[in-house]
Amino acid sequence: QQQVRQSPQSLTVWEGETAILNCSYEDSTFNYFPWYQQFPGEGPALLISIRSVSDKKEDGRFTIFFNKREKKLSLHITDSQPGDSATYFCAAGYGNEKITFGAGTKLTIKP
Amino acid sequence: EAAVTQSPRSKVAVTGGKVTLSCHQTNNHDYMYWYRQDTGHGLRLIHYSYVADSTEKGDIPDGYKASRPSQENFSLILELASLSQTAVYFCASSDWQGNTEVFFGKGTRLTVV
């Protein structure tokens, strides 16, 4: 059973639009939610993260919205650029336990 | 800058053969991990280690062994490679386990024929 689910599996948006990537989780004890970005041929790298005490985290064009009650979060990428084309992994963790990754969303930005 | 280096970057192995994937980190991190990436499954943890000479099983350890001879080095061993082990393997490191950034290597593409 997947602890962390992501949707959609793939997403295509036009340059300049807002891309919305969704994530949900099962374990209510999770309190740390990082998003990792992976370009082809590279390893994932931390993009942005949020802790469960917050409902929003912003870093430039990237924003995480977090709904603790519904156990859902989303990553919004505003003014999408072709360079944002990558696979995005939502992950979840708590305390000193290893984090769990979702299956990823492959994002393509069309110029 | 944090660095995790994997070797080889790609490998073709024969079914039933032994494969060793190597990883070296210069981050001075205690924790090291081996993940497997398959389309549709994301990143799944195979083995991890938090101290030299000790390894722990992750979520999918069957068919894999790990070795941590020093803080800097962590190897993944496939004693009898199988077709189902064709995948991309990532090594990673972190300060500690949990709410902290994980640093990944560039991956090793393993093809078992």
Side-chain angles (χ1 to χ4, degrees), chain A residues 2 9 31-32 36 38 41-44 46 51 89 93-99 101-103, chain B residues 9 31 35 37 40-43 45 48 58-59 90 96-102 104-106:
Chain A
Q2 279 193 334
Q9 189 172 359
N31 61 5
Y32 170 66
Y36 282 77
Q38 182 184 30
E42 299 288 327
L46 180 64
R51 298 186 187 272
F89 292 100
Y94 64 95
N96 199 36
E97 297 297 316
K98 59 186 183 297
I99 63 172
F101 287 87
Chain B
R9 291 295 314 279
Y31 281 82
Y35 286 91
Q37 184 174 31
H41 289 280
L43 295 160
L45 183 63
Y48 67 101
D59 299 320
F90 288 97
W96 54 291
Q97 183 171 253
N99 304 351
T100 187
E101 182 174 359
V102 178
F104 287 84
K106 292 182 179 294

Side-chain angles (χ1 to χ4, degrees), chain A:
Chain A
Q1 182 182 4
Q2 279 193 334
Q3 291 274 356
V4 178
R5 289 191 174 87
Q6 291 188 246
S7 64
Q9 189 172 359
S10 64
L11 175 67
T12 300
V13 301
W14 293 102
E15 182 177 356
E17 292 184 336
T18 296
I20 300 175
L21 289 65
N22 300 303
C23 180
S24 64
Y25 60 97
E26 299 286 331
D27 192 336
S28 58
T29 60
F30 286 146
N31 61 5
Y32 170 66
F33 303 90
W35 285 83
Y36 282 77
Q37 179 187 55
Q38 182 184 30
F39 295 108
E42 299 288 327
L46 180 64
L47 176 66
I48 186 173
S49 64
I50 192 168
R51 298 186 187 272
S52 59
V53 293
S54 302
D55 55 14
K56 180 181 177 181
K57 177 78 174 288
E58 201 169 345
D59 185 358
R61 297 184 294 107
F62 300 90
T63 302
I64 299 174
F65 292 92
F66 177 68
N67 186 321
K68 187 174 182 177
R69 183 179 60 84
E70 295 187 5
K71 293 191 283 188
K72 292 181 178 179
L73 56 158
S74 60
L75 175 67
H76 292 226
I77 307 174
T78 58
D79 188 24
S80 296
Q81 303 296 310
D84 296 330
S85 295
T87 297
Y88 292 81
F89 292 100
C90 173
Y94 64 95
N96 199 36
E97 297 297 316
K98 59 186 183 297
I99 63 172
T100 299
F101 287 87
T105 293
K106 184 177 181 180
L107 176 65
T108 303
I109 309 298
K110 287 191 172 182

Side-chain angles (χ1 to χ4, degrees), chain B residues 77-92:
Chain B
I77 303 146
L78 290 66
E79 294 279 3
L80 294 169
S82 66
L83 295 175
S84 64
Q85 293 178 312
T86 293
V88 179
Y89 292 85
F90 288 97
C91 177

